[in-house]
Amino acid sequence: MGVDVGGTFTDLVAISSERVVTAKVPSTPGRASGVMQAFAASGLSPDEISAFAHGTTVATNALLERRGARAALVTTEGFRDLIEIGRQNRASLYDLTVQRPPPLVPRQLRFVVNERCGPHGVVTPLDPQSLLECVEEVSAAGPESVAVCLLFGYLYPEHEKYVAEALRKALPRTRVVCSHQVLPEFREYERFSTTVAEAYLGPPLSGYLNELAGQAEAGGISAPLVMQSSGGVMPIEAAGTRAAACVLSGPAGGVVGAARVAAESGYSDVLSFDMGGTSTDVAAIVGGQARTTTEGVIGGIPIKLPMVDVHTIGAGGGSILWSDGGALRVGPHSAGAVPGPACYGRGGTEPAVTDCNLLLGYLQDEAVFGGEISLDAERSEEALENLGSTLGLSAEQTAVGGALVAEAEMARALRVISVERGLDPRGFALLAFGGAGPLHACALAEELGMTVVLVPRACGVLSALGLALGDLRRDVVAPFLQDADTVDSAAMQSAFDGLQGRVGDYLQEPRFRREADLRYAGQSYELTVECDDVAGTVERFHAAHRSRYGYAVSERPVEFVNLRLTATEPVQIALPSEPPAESSGGSVRRIYVDGDWRQVEVTGIGNLDPGAVRTGPALIELGESTCLVRSGWSAKLDDIGTLVLTRQRPDA
Amino acid sequence: MLDPIGLSVLQGALAGVAEEMGAVLIRASYSSNIKERRDCSAALFDASGRLIAQAEHIPVHLGAMPESVAAVMVRQAEAGDVFILNDPYRGGTHLPDITLVSPVGLSDGRILGYAVTRAHHSDVGGMTPGSMPSGSRELYQEGIVIPPVRIMERGRQVDDVLELILANVRTPEIRAGDLRAQMAANQVGVTRLMELAGRYGTEGLPSAIDDVLDYAETGARRVIADLPDGSYRAIEYMEGDGVVDEDIPIVVRVVVDGDKLTVDFDGSASAVAGNVNCPLAVTRSACYFALRVLMSSDVPRNSGAYRPLTVKAPEGSIVNARRPSAVVAGNVETSQRIADAVLLALGEATELPAQGQGTMNNLVIGGPGWTYYETIGGGQGASAHAPGESGVHVGMSNTLNTPIEALELEMPLRVESQQLRYGSGGAGRMRGGDGIERTVRVLEAARLSLLSDRRSHAPQGEDGGDPGSPGRNLVNGRPVPAKVDMELNQGDMVTVLTPGGGGYGTA
């Protein structure tokens, strides 16, 4: 069973060999009770649940809204403000009044000790007197947690250990985290920032998870596994000390679900496209694996832990259309759920993308959304007409334009995660989910030269599905600064052995993936590639560099920077096959396609038999979402209930 | 004529190409100055040399590349060529900024446009490591001068040119890597512009681009028309030129006339013996920056937005220098002061924030085989609604700092402190941001070049707010001038205290 607590809804998916059970209830943000409400709504009994995985936005929201713990920082003397200065770049080049997001620890909670390590070892020994004073100051401030972040602590952790020990002795109930444990990698700002995030997010996330575990136990369900940003799950006890690894817990479930569902349909190279109300998340899946990055920045805070490489843009179904005097623009302002698009009839008068889709017939007038909102096409038309009149456009033209402009934005987002990462989208399938994703998928695929679109039946609850299917996972990293020419294979082996020892005991029979970060000598960006023998690893680095940046320099010396070990233990669940159709009935609706109004067939997905084909233009309704099959495309329902759309006459 | 929908889509597509070029350049480059500090930008131009989209990572590159394209257009550029240049008097700004221009040509020989990247190479030879000498008196001391020449001819690399350049720099391998990254980024721009031509047609694309430029112009004119008509004056000073320690006036008169803006530098000092002179391209960038501050981010960054602006700079003055005036600090320091002066004058016409630190605090330390170049953030000026930010780059720069753990691994340096100068921001209803204290110790003998300003003239407050504290430079605790070149012994410590921003309103 997977339960995903989103901003608006809490989704539940439970899978057995025979059936898939889903449930959806309104979210109660930050409260564990929402999970149990979803469970109650599912009609499942506790003894049917063998495992329970959970995706949470608690850490994400605590970070974005700055509602984390009262955390303190202990750092090297002379560097107290390092986390405030950051990389010294301002937030906006030309708007001189924009502020950077504030640091997670304010000045008065930042303390220093007199010590210094350098690249070759201790430069200034830790001064016991300054440590004593520092511990006293920290005690007096009474923080909930302390981050210990010393320069070169990733190479020489002794000082950090010593400081942490002194703090734990003086403050036995205070959580103390060290940078060499959270992220043993060089580049002080990013390491400090990640460690401080751990101290800041640990207490609220642990509090929430403990509450959830208690309620689950009371309800007869085992304690939950928690989704990490990397796309794998871990036990609740591990999550309590790895809070910074959970900041993308929510979106990660969606990408894992997308990867798994696509794989079941036979597609392993996929761009996932999750279009919601206020934002759209896109990610690349290569060889069945979600691509991860260690360069994530959430709420202005760099978190250098592996996370699914999700690119988010502020355009969704609720994005508002507006005119800047000459051009039609869409977003980034969103109508949200209240007042919502004009068609919600909740007081919104500005047209949103959803209004465009309603006016053009893609959504059913008077359809009921989320159990309570009834769509009203007249209001959409009025709002679009008002805006259009300022631009010399009809309501219909404005609606077509709104969809086009929004799609152009989303196509750019898809290019960022494909083309800019050295991936050619034409070899990928586009997997669309989220409320509005399946409506725009064909148009985006055409824009990017893609010929396959996948729309899973569970597209409204894909994140929860991903949770249920997520592997157990642990990522560990160690610095390994060596020239590739002279690398010591024994040292590498023992470094990997050391990493294996840090994996922890929650994985019984893990599969290990060894990777290394490499760069050309003199570069300061690394690329992560699979690491077996040295020669093969270097070869892969050259190839990765060529694919990502367009060139490789085989004669140039290569350096190892970090070694990474990923331990995973897959869950063995097969998706049950698609049941036969309930009926073959359908209806017709007038929609705007190919520059004109046409009558098209509308079919509920439950009324399609596996193998049945619909030729575009057509609409297929999937509960919370609608799929627009454009002209030139045909849609076929496969054995696991995924609509596979293929383009019949792709452009040359 | 593009409709309001087409405008939005094409403008987004063009901006997307420039951004993708910039992303490739940053990721593929070798040197930390480009990769970590993002001292670079990428742009697209149309066949007549007009800027159609730009991804600038620092404002001093804003709109400063039309001269580069113009200099290449007279050289019979063809498809498959890539031109390289850095000559400040033929399309460049200062020698470390190397610009690569790739014509985008159709099979029938017609030129569709140009893909351009500019990157600050932290070594182009010259009298000091880092190629940022504070005491240069003519251009030739500042490094190798590259006029617009082909480094790639019809798809084949011109090795002779590359070898000639690399023979004149201290770190040839890194330069070669960075140039390769620029070529890769240019190639992305060429490919994408061709794709757009495939979509819009080779006739349709130029006409659609005309519409996008006109659209930006309309947006800019609307902003200027909102300012009260009038003539607004301001004087600012550079603190010495690295040769003599005297104030150098920059005089500006900004005239708002309906939807037109004229910035006239008549009365500014003549070009000086030292290196704080600016070629006209740099002066223009600083004026564009000031205009950009007035505009919302919705106005596209293309040449249309700058049509309503006229810049008048007397030839031979510090803001429009002639060969062979030295210029290396014009780009990094005088540009700041020009922007300050223009914004100070515009502040009479509209509400603007107090002044920020107004300098980039260029710190260069070098020895045999290594060069460390850093610019250091300071205080931002406060505005009516918010305090100034502390420890950030202001004005014409926005480069990142180098991680301490990276630079100590690579160079014989130790950073002794990197912290805020509490209280250096000016008091006021809103406080100015605080400057930074950065102390670096050299672990072997080395040469120091410091190029800084605002050491005596403090960043001004606004609406009754106090000025920020001026900056200070120290070597082993003893003050040294704003601009200085000197030898350092093993163990010497260089401390740079950067200025705080001005406050806003009476406290």
Side-chain angles (χ1 to χ4, degrees):
Chain A
M1 175 175 81
V3 182
D4 177 52
V5 181
T8 321
F9 292 107
T10 294
D11 297 331
L12 177 147
V13 171
I15 303 165
S16 71
S17 53
E18 293 91 38
R19 60 184 186 135
V20 175
V21 176
T22 65
K24 205 179 215 16
V25 297
S27 282
T28 45
R31 305 295 309 171
S33 55
V35 175
M36 300 314 290
Q37 279 161 16
F39 180 67
S42 72
L44 293 160
S45 77
D47 53 12
E48 290 179 272
I49 307 302
S50 60
F52 161 32
H54 179 49
T56 170
T57 50
V58 165
T60 326
N61 290 342
L63 194 56
L64 294 178
E65 296 162 16
R66 292 296 193 268
R67 288 191 289 103
R70 182 179 153 83
L73 167 70
V74 174
T75 190
T76 306
E77 189 173 341
F79 301 91
R80 183 185 172 198
D81 304 318
L82 211 137
I83 62 160
E84 184 170 348
I85 296 168
R87 301 303 301 277
Q88 81 178 6
N89 50 326
R90 64 185 183 271
S92 162
L93 284 186
Y94 306 112
D95 183 343
L96 306 183
T97 63
V98 175
Q99 306 274 304
R100 292 187 293 187
L104 300 180
V105 177
R107 276 181 204 181
Q108 64 273 18
L109 289 175
R110 304 201 289 254
F111 306 95
V112 296
V113 287
N114 181 6
E115 66 82 43
R116 180 71 145 88
C117 293
H120 310 296
V122 174
V123 175
T124 308
L126 178 61
D127 172 24
Q129 184 59 32
S130 88
L131 178 59
L132 214 62
E133 286 164 17
C134 173
V135 170
E136 266 173 35
E137 286 168 1
V138 174
S139 308
E144 287 172 73
S145 58
V146 188
V148 180
C149 301
L150 305 181
L151 282 179
F152 289 94
Y154 75 100
L155 272 184
Y156 306 103
E158 292 309 316
H159 285 184
E160 283 193 357
K161 287 180 185 165
Y162 209 76
V163 171
E165 197 182 295
L167 286 165
R168 288 194 183 108
K169 205 176 272 177
L171 301 160
R173 276 187 297 279
T174 304
R175 180 186 292 251
V176 179
V177 295
C178 292
S179 84
H180 75 271
Q181 287 174 318
V182 174
L183 184 72
E185 285 185 45
F186 87 130
R187 292 197 185 99
E188 66 281 356
Y189 171 60
E190 286 77 7
R191 184 173 77 253
F192 289 11
S193 154
T194 306
T195 308
V196 166
E198 179 63 43
Y200 187 76
L201 300 174
L205 185 65
S206 307
Y208 167 80
L209 291 175
N210 288 338
E211 187 189 335
L212 176 61
Q215 292 189 3
E217 196 185 353
I221 313 174
S222 60
L225 300 164
V226 181
M227 179 55 83
Q228 309 170 60
S229 312
S230 63
V233 296
M234 62 181 157
I236 199 162
E237 311 81 57
T241 57
R242 296 179 45 74
C246 295
V247 288
L248 282 188
S249 175
V255 181
V256 170
R260 185 64 190 271
V261 167
E264 296 271 343
S265 295
Y267 295 90
S268 58
D269 292 341
V270 179
L271 301 183
S272 74
F273 166 58
D274 175 9
M275 182 172 171
T278 55
S279 63
T280 295
D281 291 337
V282 295
I285 294 154
V286 180
Q289 295 288 327
R291 297 263 286 206
T292 56
T293 175
T294 53
E295 290 169 23
V297 178
I298 313 290
I301 304 296
I303 305 226
K304 226 180 161 307
L305 296 169
M307 51 180 81
V308 287
D309 189 5
V310 174
H311 181 61
T312 302
I313 58 164
S319 292
I320 289 174
L321 278 61
W322 56 287
S323 157
D324 66 2
L328 175 66
R329 312 282 293 257
V330 177
H333 292 294
S334 170
V338 180
C343 59
Y344 280 17
R346 288 182 162 186
T349 54
E350 293 172 295
V353 174
T354 301
D355 290 304
C356 301
N357 287 326
L358 180 57
L359 186 87
L360 298 174
Y362 307 148
L363 298 174
Q364 173 76 56
D365 191 16
E366 294 170 18
V368 177
F369 253 35
E372 42 190 275
I373 300 154
S374 172
L375 303 186
D376 181 347
E378 264 179 46
R379 290 182 197 270
S380 294
E381 184 165 10
E382 193 184 328
L384 286 161
E385 203 163 86
N386 286 342
L387 174 65
S389 65
T390 68
L391 287 160
L393 299 172
S394 68
E396 185 183 293
Q397 286 169 323
T398 311
V400 171
L404 270 177
V405 172
E407 283 160 5
E409 282 272 307
M410 290 180 271
R412 269 176 79 176
L414 287 166
R415 297 183 75 92
V416 166
I417 52 128
S418 58
V419 179
E420 285 192 17
R421 311 274 201 269
L423 305 172
D424 185 344
R426 288 172 298 184
F428 283 67
L430 182 68
L431 187 135
F433 59 109
L439 270 182
H440 298 279
C442 284
L444 289 173
E446 288 171 21
E447 172 75 23
L448 290 154
M450 303 167 77
T451 54
V452 177
V453 168
L454 304 173
V455 180
R457 162 174 271 218
C459 68
V461 290
L462 201 62
S463 292
L465 184 72
L467 293 168
L469 299 172
D471 296 346
L472 277 164
R473 172 164 171 158
R474 174 84 156 103
D475 297 278
V476 282
V477 60
F480 190 74
L481 286 159
Q482 295 217 12
D483 294 336
D485 287 345
T486 57
V487 79
D488 177 347
S489 301
M492 181 185 281
Q493 184 56 46
S494 85
F496 273 122
D497 290 345
L499 285 172
Q500 209 154 316
R502 282 169 48 203
V503 160
D505 52 8
Y506 63 77
L507 296 138
Q508 264 89 55
E509 289 172 25
R511 272 205 306 242
F512 292 106
R513 190 167 77 241
R514 293 177 167 198
E515 291 177 312
D517 298 348
L518 280 78
R519 62 180 180 186
Y520 289 119
Q523 277 189 317
S524 46
Y525 269 111
E526 297 83 41
L527 282 176
T528 305
V529 294
E530 199 194 322
C531 178
D532 40 25
D533 62 309
V534 173
T537 306
V538 170
E539 208 45 53
R540 267 189 293 281
F541 166 73
H542 288 304
H545 202 276
R546 182 181 298 286
S547 129
R548 191 91 182 248
Y549 306 133
Y551 72 94
V553 207
S554 45
E555 68 276 15
R556 181 107 187 136
V558 172
E559 295 172 340
F560 281 76
V561 177
N562 296 305
L563 299 181
R564 298 181 180 278
L565 186 72
T566 302
T568 52
E569 193 165 313
V571 279
Q572 309 288 352
I573 306 176
L575 289 174
S577 53
E578 177 69 7
E582 291 151 17
S583 79
S584 56
S587 58
V588 290
R589 196 188 301 160
R590 205 164 155 263
I591 69 168
Y592 190 89
V593 276
D594 307 327
D596 206 356
W597 289 92
R598 291 174 65 175
Q599 296 282 348
V600 305
E601 203 179 346
V602 185
T603 318
I605 192 165
N607 298 337
L608 280 176
D609 269 318
V613 175
R614 288 290 178 277
T615 306
L619 289 171
I620 298 170
E621 295 189 325
L622 311 97
E624 298 289 321
S625 183
T626 303
C627 176
L628 171 61
V629 186
R630 304 225 313 177
S631 306
W633 292 80
S634 68
K636 181 174 163 185
L637 189 69
D638 75 7
D639 294 342
I640 59 149
T642 293
L643 284 171
V644 181
L645 282 66
T646 46
R647 199 167 177 200
Q648 290 153 326
R649 21 182 193 84
D651 290 341
Chain B
M1 180 71 193
L2 283 180
D3 63 17
I5 301 153
L7 267 179
S8 229
V9 171
L10 179 58
Q11 191 258 311
L14 291 169
V17 174
E19 280 161 23
E20 189 183 337
M21 290 170 67
V24 169
L25 174 53
I26 287 170
R27 307 241 18 165
S29 60
Y30 267 77
S31 66
S32 54
N33 192 51
I34 300 171
K35 208 161 22 191
E36 295 263 13
R37 301 181 59 244
R38 300 178 195 171
D39 194 344
C40 60
S41 56
L44 288 176
F45 288 77
D46 73 358
S48 44
R50 297 178 302 178
L51 176 72
I52 53 181
Q54 182 172 8
E56 74 280 5
H57 301 97
I58 55 171
V60 74
H61 288 174
L62 181 71
M65 291 190 271
E67 278 82 357
S68 312
V69 176
V72 164
M73 285 171 68
V74 299
R75 298 287 326 271
Q76 284 85 42
E78 287 182 40
D81 291 351
V82 179
F83 283 81
I84 184 170
L85 65 92
N86 74 346
D87 183 347
Y89 300 106
R90 283 180 77 183
T93 49
H94 66 170
L95 297 179
D97 278 345
I98 296 182
T99 304
L100 261 58
V101 180
S102 298
V104 185
L106 300 168
S107 50
D108 62 6
R110 271 185 302 158
I111 295 292
L112 190 65
Y114 301 86
V116 187
T117 52
R118 169 170 293 169
H120 183 118
H121 292 247
S122 55
D123 166 31
V124 287
M127 63 196 279
T128 58
S131 310
M132 296 282 288
S134 72
S136 55
R137 287 163 176 264
E138 53 176 7
L139 183 65
Y140 309 107
Q141 294 175 300
E142 296 178 343
I144 181 173
V145 180
I146 312 168
V149 291
R150 289 175 181 82
I151 195 168
M152 184 97 82
E153 187 164 17
R154 297 190 193 175
R156 284 189 50 201
Q157 186 163 302
V158 184
D159 291 332
D160 292 0
V161 169
L162 185 62
E163 277 190 36
L164 178 64
I165 294 169
L166 297 183
N168 280 279
V169 302
R170 295 179 176 83
T171 51
E173 288 191 351
I174 293 173
R175 295 289 65 82
D178 283 347
L179 288 174
R180 207 182 327 247
Q182 279 187 266
M183 285 190 232
N186 277 31
Q187 189 51 47
V188 165
V190 170
T191 308
R192 296 282 172 266
L193 200 59
M194 292 294 282
E195 284 172 8
L196 282 175
R199 179 167 311 185
Y200 286 82
T202 53
E203 306 296 331
L205 184 62
S207 125
I209 285 170
D210 283 344
D211 294 341
V212 171
L213 299 184
D214 290 347
Y215 162 63
E217 178 181 353
T218 310
R221 289 199 188 278
R222 210 167 29 227
V223 170
I224 297 168
D226 281 347
L227 301 172
D229 279 5
S231 175
Y232 309 98
R233 293 179 62 88
I235 301 184
E236 281 278 6
Y237 298 93
M238 287 298 292
E239 300 163 351
D241 63 354
V243 178
V244 290
D245 199 9
E246 278 170 18
D247 285 350
I248 304 159
I250 293 168
V251 178
V252 66
R253 190 164 62 99
V254 177
V255 178
V256 179
D257 178 12
D259 61 5
K260 294 193 292 290
L261 195 69
T262 305
V263 181
D264 189 342
F265 291 95
D266 190 31
S268 298
S270 296
V272 293
N275 59 22
V276 296
N277 303 297
C278 294
L280 187 57
V282 170
T283 302
R284 279 218 190 95
S285 290
C287 295
Y288 291 161
F289 170 75
L291 180 56
R292 203 71 236 185
V293 166
L294 300 179
M295 290 193 270
S296 83
S297 57
D298 299 325
V299 180
R301 288 169 210 175
N302 64 41
S303 64
Y306 309 123
R307 281 185 199 147
L309 174 69
T310 308
V311 176
K312 293 182 179 171
E315 208 170 313
S317 72
I318 186 172
V319 291
N320 185 5
R322 281 175 303 203
R323 193 184 303 272
S325 286
V327 294
V328 73
N331 196 61
V332 290
E333 289 297 322
T334 315
S335 66
Q336 291 280 47
R337 200 63 59 251
I338 296 168
D340 277 351
V342 177
L343 285 170
L344 195 62
L346 281 168
E348 302 288 308
T350 185
E351 183 188 298
L352 285 171
Q355 288 185 328
Q357 69 160 343
T359 172
M360 301 185 199
N361 308 292
N362 299 271
L363 170 65
V364 188
I365 304 175
W370 60 277
T371 302
Y372 166 58
Y373 172 43
E374 188 96 63
T375 60
I376 307 171
Q380 178 71 282
S383 68
H385 312 289
E389 286 240 67
S390 296
V392 290
H393 265 307
V394 312
M396 305 300 287
S397 186
N398 200 32
T399 50
L400 305 171
N401 51 22
T402 314
I404 295 164
E405 290 173 348
L407 81 90
E408 291 190 7
L409 265 176
E410 288 163 25
M411 287 173 272
L413 295 171
R414 185 176 309 134
V415 180
E416 297 284 354
S417 71
Q418 158 88 341
Q419 53 196 355
L420 295 174
R421 288 177 75 195
Y422 296 153
S424 56
R429 187 166 58 74
M430 291 292 173
R431 280 200 68 92
D434 289 332
I436 286 178
E437 171 200 311
R438 187 165 173 112
T439 299
V440 180
R441 186 190 293 276
V442 295
L443 304 180
E444 64 179 46
R447 189 168 175 84
L448 166 73
S449 297
L450 252 173
L451 279 170
S452 62
D453 217 71
R454 290 264 186 241
R455 267 43 188 173
S456 50
H457 296 274
Q460 296 181 34
E462 185 62 46
D463 198 29
D466 285 353
S469 299
R472 292 170 71 202
N473 303 332
L474 310 167
V475 172
N476 297 329
R478 284 187 298 279
V480 296
K483 299 172 185 67
V484 65
D485 273 332
M486 61 186 285
E487 300 295 335
L488 298 173
N489 296 315
Q490 182 182 1
D492 282 354
M493 282 200 304
V494 180
T495 301
V496 181
L497 299 159
T498 70
Y504 195 103
T506 41

